[in-house]
Amino acid sequence: MNVNAAFRRYRTQLMNFLWHVHKGAVTPEAREVVEEARRDHHSVLAEAQMVASPAVLSELDEMTRTLSETYRRTMCLEEGNPDPDGSFDEIRADFVRLWEQWETMRGVMRADLGVGDDTTTPPATTP
């Protein structure tokens, strides 16, 4: 599903941008890469909203809200006007939560598609 790839790419590019902010190395090119991933995410999400089941749509919406807030916090930090809890380390911790949220979203999407849980360990066999 394209939406899964778009979410991953946006998250990854936003995390990379946060590192550029932290290093004081933001360039127009770095900003464009994150903005391109953001635009792609919005486009793919709009398509998914037309066909996703209610359960998947709920996960997509929640993940989008979280990504949007992380984007906002990152841009505030980059502009020199961070939230009170918007330090590099605090925003970086948001990405751990984003990864966990993405795993949950992916699980709901896979269940909706009727794909089995590929993270389970097969039962041990006896010789």
Side-chain angles (χ1 to χ4, degrees), residues 1 6 16 57 99-100 102 107:
M1 200 172 208
N16 289 343
L57 188 56
W99 183 259
E100 293 166 354
W102 174 79

Side-chain angles (χ1 to χ4, degrees), residues 2-20 30-46 60-75 91 94-95 98-99 102 105:
N2 289 339
V3 71
N4 185 48
F7 272 99
R8 284 183 68 124
R9 181 170 177 258
Y10 181 27
R11 178 190 166 274
T12 298
Q13 295 307 328
L14 186 55
M15 187 170 41
N16 289 343
F17 187 79
L18 177 63
W19 277 102
H20 287 294
R31 182 176 290 279
E32 180 55 31
V33 168
V34 76
E35 292 301 329
E36 180 183 320
R38 185 172 181 238
R39 285 189 302 269
D40 183 52
H41 162 262
H42 289 308
S43 175
V44 172
L45 176 64
L60 295 175
D61 287 346
E62 187 59 33
M63 186 68 166
T64 298
R65 277 190 290 278
T66 303
L67 273 168
S68 293
E69 179 62 10
T70 304
Y71 172 87
R72 185 195 66 74
R73 289 165 45 89
T74 300
M75 293 304 157
I91 297 171
D94 290 347
F95 284 99
L98 270 167
W99 183 259
W102 174 79
M105 180 188 75

Side-chain angles (χ1 to χ4, degrees), residues 16-30:
N16 289 343
F17 187 79
L18 177 63
W19 277 102
H20 287 294
V21 171
H22 181 63
K23 293 177 182 177
V26 174
T27 63
E29 293 80 18

Side-chain angles (χ1 to χ4, degrees), residues 111-125:
D112 190 66
L113 292 171
V115 178
D117 182 5
D118 61 358
T119 61
T120 58
T121 305
T125 57

